[in-house]
Amino acid sequence: MSTLNASNPHGNATSVAHAMNFETFVVELLRVHATSQGKPFEIQPSAFDAVAPLGFDNFTGPVFIECHASTSQARFRNRLQKALSFIALNATKSGAYEGHRNLTFINVFDSALAPSLSYKNELVSKLHELGLTILIWTWKELNELVSQHQLAAKGIEENLLPLRVRQISNSADNDWTTTRTSRLSALVERISIGRNTLFLGAGVSASAGMPDWNSLLNALFVAYLANVEEGGDVTDDDKLKLVQRMNELDAPSALVSARYVRKALAESKASSNTFVEAIRKALYGLRRGRHDGLSTLIESLVAMCVPRRSGTLVKSVITYNFDDLFERGLNAGGVQHKCIYLASEPPDIDDLPVYHVHGFVPQDASTYAGVNETPLVFSEEGYHHIYAESYHWSNLAQLNALQNSTCIMVGLSMSDPNLRRLLEIAQRGFTESRHFAFLRRTSLGRFRGDGVNTLDVAEEKTTTFLKRHHATTEALMSELGVTVIWFEEFDELPALLESVFTPSRLSAASAAY
């Protein structure tokens, strides 16, 4: 049991990955224990880690299990309040627990230093009304179960990741929108603390008609072809078709393609600004005509940054986009800010810092001092440079936000290698997921396609595959300290963001916290 410190039950968890492994191990061990007695066992991610509706051992009523990888008093109090609210709500709505006067709430801690029962004094009246018994378990109780199920315990430890994926995909709460609601509530609570950072990716700019990565690369290939004398009289339309066909057949890495384009453009003309100017022309020239203003999504994000009487909820913004659409939105919203794209003096206390950590290419370069000197993280050598320079200002800006605030990630695919590296560093020593990423869920219809392109696999098998895919994504993101909030269509994002930044909801969450 070395992975879970069973040989040292007094040891504390030191990472989110360890916390997830501990929770998975406990839930699976209790599932084995309950089912060996012929008792049902359910996973309830929206309220508890698990529920044994008919109990087990000497517990004759429902048993609710909650795992803790730390003894944080605030977290313990918060989860206990949620559990009581869930029990009361379900008893009122469905009578599921009506008639049961022996409800048991088991808190399992990865430490012998269990929290004092004095934590629960303020809840005595509620406990009495619900007839709820609270037990504290540590490795002492768990080791007794391990001794009863040694073979199963060994198998659990050897298969923690697939078991965690199975727990997520086979949970009793199969409606992902219901789970999303509980996660949005959790985000409301985190936001109410008051130190938050927006992480913005390409999806934010795309909502306002900016080209995606592949379109930008294709346009830059065309720019390169236009700058060489060889090749005969080839129209821009033909050049674009040739490049697209090359991408279809060769399918090179995007970062490798970007490196090739950057080198080619830099060498095709004497001017050192050829590459930057080509990006500027492609970015703003390819913007879809109907998007000549800001998008609803950008306006929603800007609204989060507007100072309120209680203070500013968003303390900083990290953007991976080259364009200046978000700055235009801040100007339109009257939000005082400072755009940071080079190592420079820190912003004033009243300024919202907006860090362009991959570089900045505004439409009008004359409005930003020294912007043409901004290094662009565009291709693989840019990533190599950042990896090699740990104390680069952009790394420090991201790491500071990840370590000291709740980060809300919008428009990101979460595949950026440097971001994932920094997330892993920032989560060392933490046992909870502190950040939230809004990710687009792959719907069954979009995955299967239509007409002649319909996927030739049974719908039932496809559904199971997608369910496991989404569960795996959640499991891997949780190891990086990120909770996934799913959506299916980009048009949903503004309303989802508004729901967590609505003042009334935040005030209620702040009072509860």
Side-chain angles (χ1 to χ4, degrees), residues 199 398-404 407 409 422-423 426 434-435:
F199 274 60
Q398 294 172 79
L399 198 54
N400 178 60
L402 292 169
Q403 289 179 323
N404 300 306
C407 298
M409 301 167 181
L422 293 173
L423 276 166
R434 298 172 297 139
H435 310 306

Side-chain angles (χ1 to χ4, degrees), residues 204-216:
V204 172
S205 294
S207 72
M210 299 301 281
D212 60 23
W213 183 253
N214 286 331
S215 298
L216 180 59

Side-chain angles (χ1 to χ4, degrees), residues 319-322 356-360 375-378 383 386 416:
T319 178
Y320 298 89
N321 299 325
F322 294 154
H356 281 265
V357 293
H358 279 183
F360 189 36
L376 301 180
V377 181
F378 183 81
Y383 278 93
I386 285 183
D416 183 300

Side-chain angles (χ1 to χ4, degrees), residues 88-119:
L89 179 64
N90 280 272
T92 301
K93 282 187 172 181
S94 64
Y97 307 113
E98 188 176 348
H100 291 290
R101 307 306 297 172
N102 52 348
L103 304 176
T104 304
F105 183 28
I106 298 178
N107 284 266
V108 189
F109 285 84
D110 185 20
S111 170
L113 305 176
S116 168
L117 291 178
S118 62
Y119 287 6

Side-chain angles (χ1 to χ4, degrees), residues 170-458:
N170 293 344
S171 67
D173 186 4
N174 285 319
D175 182 2
W176 64 269
T177 58
T178 302
T179 303
R180 178 176 70 183
T181 299
S182 71
R183 292 176 182 176
L184 288 170
S185 297
L187 177 53
V188 169
E189 292 174 7
R190 292 290 310 184
I191 290 174
S192 65
I193 298 173
R195 186 166 185 82
N196 309 289
T197 300
L198 292 177
F199 274 60
L200 308 181
V204 172
S205 294
S207 72
M210 299 301 281
D212 60 23
W213 183 253
N214 286 331
S215 298
L216 180 59
L217 279 180
N218 284 337
L220 292 173
F221 266 118
V222 169
Y224 163 64
L225 292 174
N227 287 335
V228 296
E229 296 179 0
E230 297 83 358
D233 186 15
V234 184
T235 66
D236 284 347
D237 185 56
D238 287 339
K239 292 171 187 173
L240 186 57
K241 291 177 181 177
L242 290 169
V243 169
Q244 289 173 334
R245 184 58 175 167
M246 180 187 296
N247 286 342
E248 290 173 4
L249 296 176
D250 197 20
S253 160
L255 289 176
V256 174
S257 295
R259 180 173 188 152
Y260 170 74
V261 172
R262 190 189 69 78
K263 292 283 189 181
L265 283 170
E267 294 171 0
S268 63
K269 283 189 174 182
S271 172
S272 61
N273 289 329
T274 300
F275 181 58
V276 173
E277 290 305 317
I279 289 181
R280 181 175 286 111
K281 181 179 179 181
L283 269 178
Y284 301 100
L286 288 179
R287 190 180 181 192
R288 296 190 294 277
R290 69 178 186 277
H291 292 282
D292 54 357
L294 298 175
S295 68
T296 305
L297 176 57
I298 291 178
E299 290 172 349
S300 298
L301 292 166
V302 168
M304 299 177 186
C305 302
V306 175
R308 308 179 185 193
R309 286 187 301 174
S310 58
T312 304
L313 291 175
V314 174
K315 302 299 183 183
S316 63
V317 178
I318 303 288
T319 178
Y320 298 89
N321 299 325
F322 294 154
D323 61 77
D324 61 355
L325 293 187
F326 189 69
E327 281 78 7
R328 294 188 209 176
L330 293 174
N331 287 331
V335 179
Q336 188 172 330
H337 64 281
K338 180 177 181 180
C339 184
I340 300 174
Y341 42 86
L342 292 166
S344 61
E345 292 292 324
D348 294 337
I349 192 170
D350 293 328
D351 287 339
L352 172 72
V354 181
Y355 298 95
H356 281 265
V357 293
H358 279 183
F360 189 36
V361 185
Q363 187 166 15
D364 183 2
S366 64
T367 58
Y368 293 93
V371 72
N372 286 332
E373 306 302 318
T374 307
L376 301 180
V377 181
F378 183 81
S379 57
E380 63 176 358
E381 71 265 42
Y383 278 93
H384 295 166
H385 175 69
I386 285 183
Y387 275 126
E389 197 172 335
S390 299
Y391 296 103
H392 190 276
W393 72 266
S394 63
N395 282 332
L396 296 179
Q398 294 172 79
L399 198 54
N400 178 60
L402 292 169
Q403 289 179 323
N404 300 306
S405 66
T406 296
C407 298
I408 301 107
M409 301 167 181
V410 182
L412 289 163
S413 66
M414 302 304 294
S415 61
D416 183 300
N418 193 50
L419 173 58
R420 294 173 71 94
R421 179 180 71 93
L422 293 173
L423 276 166
E424 192 164 25
I425 293 171
Q427 284 305 119
R428 291 173 185 170
F430 289 93
T431 58
E432 295 182 277
S433 294
R434 298 172 297 139
H435 310 306
F436 295 79
F438 288 83
L439 296 182
R440 190 182 187 191
R441 192 177 182 87
T442 303
S443 66
L444 179 63
R446 187 158 63 92
F447 187 76
R448 287 181 62 81
D450 52 23
V452 295
N453 294 319
T454 300
L455 180 66
D456 187 22
V457 177

Side-chain angles (χ1 to χ4, degrees), residues 52-68:
L54 301 181
F56 55 85
D57 291 345
N58 295 324
F59 304 115
T60 57
V63 178
F64 304 91
I65 297 100
E66 180 69 31
C67 302
H68 303 262

